[in-house]
Structures are given as structure tokens and as C-alpha cells.
Amino acid sequence: MEKIIDENKQGEALILKAKKGNERKLFIESYGCQMNFSDSEIVASILTKEGFNTTNLLEEADLVLVNTCSIRDKAEQTIRKRLEKYNAVKKINPSMKVGVLGCMAERLKSKFLDEEKIVDLVVGPDAYKDLPNLIKEVDEGRDAVNVILSKDETYGDISPVRLGGYGVTAFVSITRGCDNMCTFCVVPFTRGRERSRDPQSILKEVNELHEKGYKEVTLLGQNVDSYLWYGGGLKKDFKNASDIQKATSVNFAQLLSMVAEEQPKMRLRFSTSNPQDMTEDVLHAMAKYPNICNYIHLPVQSGSSRILDLMNRQHTREEYMQLIDRIWEIIPDCAISQDIITGFPTETEEDHQDTMSLMDYVKYSFGFMFVYSERPGTLAARKIEDDIPMEVKKRRLTEIVDLQQKHSAYRTKEFLGKTVEVLIEKESKKSDQHWSGRTQQNTVAVFPKEHYKPGDFVLVKINDCTSATLIGEAEGISENN
Ligand code: 5AD
Ligand code: SF4
């Protein structure tokens, strides 16, 4: 659902078909982080109750919703391009309405309506429950906007409609917003202050997924390690909580343990972790429960303590390295991945070399690397000049991407000759004779299908690999099934 499966050229015929029934068709697509994909499932759930049916065909939609990302300028440009496409479709389907959700909606607010004529509806990340009212406004011919950020909305009471995916893995959101205020990041402005979801509603959602046959959940949040439930409310207000609330509060390590115990046959992942908030209790929980995957996405952003300070990351290069050491002491086979930004204002060649040497130290299994993009309203945009020329940013990016590829290949090769447990997710893209799944460490593995099926945990002997994919043969079903 989140991507257009078929750019249908016979739009008109499809519109006729759509208009025959009474139900309205919703086309929803998501850009950006996993949280947006997860939010779209909440939106689909809210609108299903309003009589909408989801469709994969843009041309037959009565309502098009695009869940947007503001993290970098390029992400916003992608959305603008997409709006052009909707504009073209609207020429053959004039009654189609278009709504913008997510971070760009929150950032631009009603300016969106002026800048993009195609847009009828602008809804920020905390206002999705208001969608039925807003759509009524639009139906009556008025544009509608709700971008109010909330201090307690977590959508904990909504059972998401699962879009896309293969029925094996799912996301479950546990926190919303972020209080970290990294100076480059627009997220605290678009998603508001940090709040956590009731653990009982998280357990309920995980149990429902288990009943539907799902085998893996990823607990999602901008900063999962900072999860703290004390009866609701903002994380920053915890200091004013009552003694009882404090005594019965649930932190991330406790939540992880609760979920791991509730569904011991389901794999459990989480993302994103930030070094300054990750506690050893989390690492001990990972070591204790075999169903918590040995994989941590631990963005570092830069290997230079000076740049980390300017980014307000609240840890030094050395503290990050100490955390890495502790992770491997407690969980020796833990895979670690990074996010890194090149060309943050004032970054020197020496700072860049510090990033490369940190990468050499960790040898990350995977990485997500970006050139710095100044975001309006952030502290960096207000206080520090974006002074690194684009060609320098890009050259540094190429250098770290090349280095990461070397490290990924090194990490992938470590699996050669080993037998690992793989959870089958889907058919391999390259061969209909092979399954594709992932190891605990999140490395993709492919192997001949034989009699196995998606959702099976299979023991796979790894005989070969490319830089990112393991190639093997099934040795049998894992006892985890
Ligand atoms: N420019 C470039 N990359 C950014 N990220 C966040 N903000 C920016 C920005 N202004 C990256 C960070 C973060 C990831 C989700 O996106 O690396 O961890
Ligand atoms: Fe942005 Fe930093 Fe929060 Fe991540 S931790 S969402 S980078 S402010």
C-alpha cells in the first residue's frame, strides 16, 4: 500500500469501477521513517471505521493521503514531486481529494494550502483522530487544517490496519516525539515532546499480532531507550509525578522484558536507540531473553567530540566507544548499525577523519549516511552557518559510504560456514526458487525454498555471501517454531 504498485494508465476505466460501489476509496502512501509507515496504519484504521476501503491504485482513489517527511530538504522535494503526480491524476479524477499528513504538514501548516493548490487537507502527526471531522469539512468544500501537537496522544487505543508487509513482521510504536533537541534535527518541532504509550496497550497489540500469525515485532520510537510510562503525560513532567507513579513506572528495559516474556516465540526488535539514553539494563535484558534480537541501531552522527557537542548529542566519542565495548562484553555477537551526517557546519578534515576512525573501530554491520541539510527553525540553522560546500559534503559522504560498504562486507563474511536462525519473510526478489529472511543480526539471508514457508524459523548453513546478503541452505526447522 505504501508504494504505488501499478502506475495504471487506464485510470478512467478504474474510476468508473470505483464509483459503482458506495464505499470510498483511500490511497495512502508513506515516506520517511518507520514511524510514518506505522502512523499510516493508524490512519487507515481510523478511516476504515469511517467507511473507507484502502486501494493500491492512485487513479481510483476518492481520498489520497501522503504521509510526509521533513528530515532533509531532499525528502521534502520528493513529496513536492509526488504532489505533481497527484495533480496529473486529478485531471482525470476531478473529485479526488488530497491530504498531507506527517512532519511536512506540521512544519508548513496552512502555508501548504497556499503553496500547493492540489492540497485540500493538512493534518499533523498528533491530530489523526480528528480526520473524520476534517474530511467532512473537505466534503463540504472547505480546506481543513489541524496541526495541534498533543502532550498525551499516543494512539494506544487504536488497532492499526496492517498495510503492506508479508504478515510476518510488524511495527508497534511505543513512544512519540523527542526531547533530545539535537541541533540539526527538525523532529522535536514536527512531532512534539516525548510521551510514552501504556505498556498494557503495547502488550495487547503484540498479542493481537501473535494471534494473526506475526512472528516479529519492532518496537518503534524516535528514542526508544527513553521510554517511561508513569500513567501518561510528557516525559519531561515525570519529575512532578507522585511517589506511587514513580514506584510503579515502567522504563524501556522493563518494557522489553515484559514483551519478551509475554510472547517468547516472537522475535523482538527496537529502533531507534540513542547512546546517551541507552542503559546497561537494556543490554542485560537483551542478553537474558533469546527472543530479543542481538542488533542495535545506534546512530552516532559524527566521530568527533567537538562536532558531537555542537550537535548537542550529549556524549563524547570516547563515551560512545565505551558503550560499544559494553555492548560486546554483554552481548558478544551483537550487530550494530549507524546513522552519520557529513558536513555538519564547521566540520574539518580532521573531524571527518575522526568519523572514519570511529567507523574503523566499530565496523558497523549497516549504515545510513547523509549530507547535512539545514532545517529551518533548528538551533543549528539559527546559530551556525551552513559553511561546508556541497562538493566537500558529498566527497566526505562518498568516503564514508565506501568505508561502510567495506565494513558491511566484513561483517557479512563473519557468517560464512556458520548455521544461523533465519525468519522467512518473503520470496527472494532475485529468484522465485528462494526464500528471503533475516538473521537475528538483521542480515538478509536467502536459501532454496524446499518445503519451508514464510513465518518459519529455519536453521540455515551459510555457504556464500555478497556484501549485504547471506546465501545458504536450510538444515532444518528451528526449535523456536
Ligand atoms: N541533515 C541530514 N541528516 C539528518 N538527520 C536528521 N536530521 C538531519 C539533517 N538536518 C539524519 C540523522 C538521523 C537520521 C534519522 O536522519 O542521521 O539519525
Ligand atoms: Fe532528532 Fe536527535 Fe530526537 Fe533523533 S534523537 S529524533 S536526531 S532530536
Side-chain angles (χ1 to χ4, degrees), residues 71-72 184-185 299 301 339-341 370-373 375:
I71 198 101
R72 284 167 290 276
F184 52 80
C185 187
Q301 316 297 359
D339 287 348
I340 290 175
I341 297 175
F370 317 96
V371 295
Y372 173 68
S373 165
R375 307 311 295 131

Side-chain angles (χ1 to χ4, degrees), residues 4 13 20 51 74 107 140 161 222 229 303 312 321 325 362 367 381-382 392 417-418 446 454:
I4 296 178
K20 272 189 195 157
K74 212 167 137 201
R107 197 177 84 69
E140 287 164 14
V161 167
Q222 250 77 39
W229 174 257
N312 189 31
M321 287 158 99
D325 292 345
V362 184
R382 283 184 280 134
V392 175
K418 292 189 179 153
V446 296

Side-chain angles (χ1 to χ4, degrees), residues 178 180-182 184-185 187-188 222 274 301 313:
C178 184
N180 274 358
M181 297 305 272
C182 300
F184 52 80
C185 187
V187 166
Q222 250 77 39
N274 280 288
Q301 316 297 359
R313 291 291 291 178

Side-chain angles (χ1 to χ4, degrees), residues 425-438:
E425 287 175 28
K426 58 187 180 204
E427 195 169 86
S428 158
K429 272 190 212 132
K430 295 219 173 113
S431 149
D432 62 5
Q433 300 301 305
H434 288 72
W435 290 126
S436 168
R438 278 173 301 144

Side-chain angles (χ1 to χ4, degrees), residues 400-413:
I400 63 166
V401 167
D402 289 349
L403 185 58
Q404 181 53 54
Q405 242 168 11
K406 226 174 79 187
H407 292 155
S408 294
Y410 169 86
R411 290 297 179 197
T412 311
K413 279 202 191 105

Side-chain angles (χ1 to χ4, degrees), residues 7 17 35 83 132 140 189 203 213 217 269 281-282 309 320 377 379 409 442-443 451 458 461 464 466:
E7 299 262 358
K17 198 179 94 201
M35 190 65 104
L83 295 176
E140 287 164 14
F189 304 95
L203 289 177
V217 292
R269 298 184 188 277
D281 287 350
V282 171
D309 185 39
Y320 185 89
L379 200 76
N442 215 31
T443 310
H451 56 283
V458 180
K461 170 92 188 285
D464 198 0
T466 66

Side-chain angles (χ1 to χ4, degrees), residues 36 52 179 184 188 201 205 277 289 303 340 406 422 442 464 469:
N36 263 6
F52 280 90
D179 285 350
F184 52 80
S201 83
E205 190 173 331
D277 296 304
Y289 296 100
I340 290 175
K406 226 174 79 187
V422 175
N442 215 31
D464 198 0
T469 307

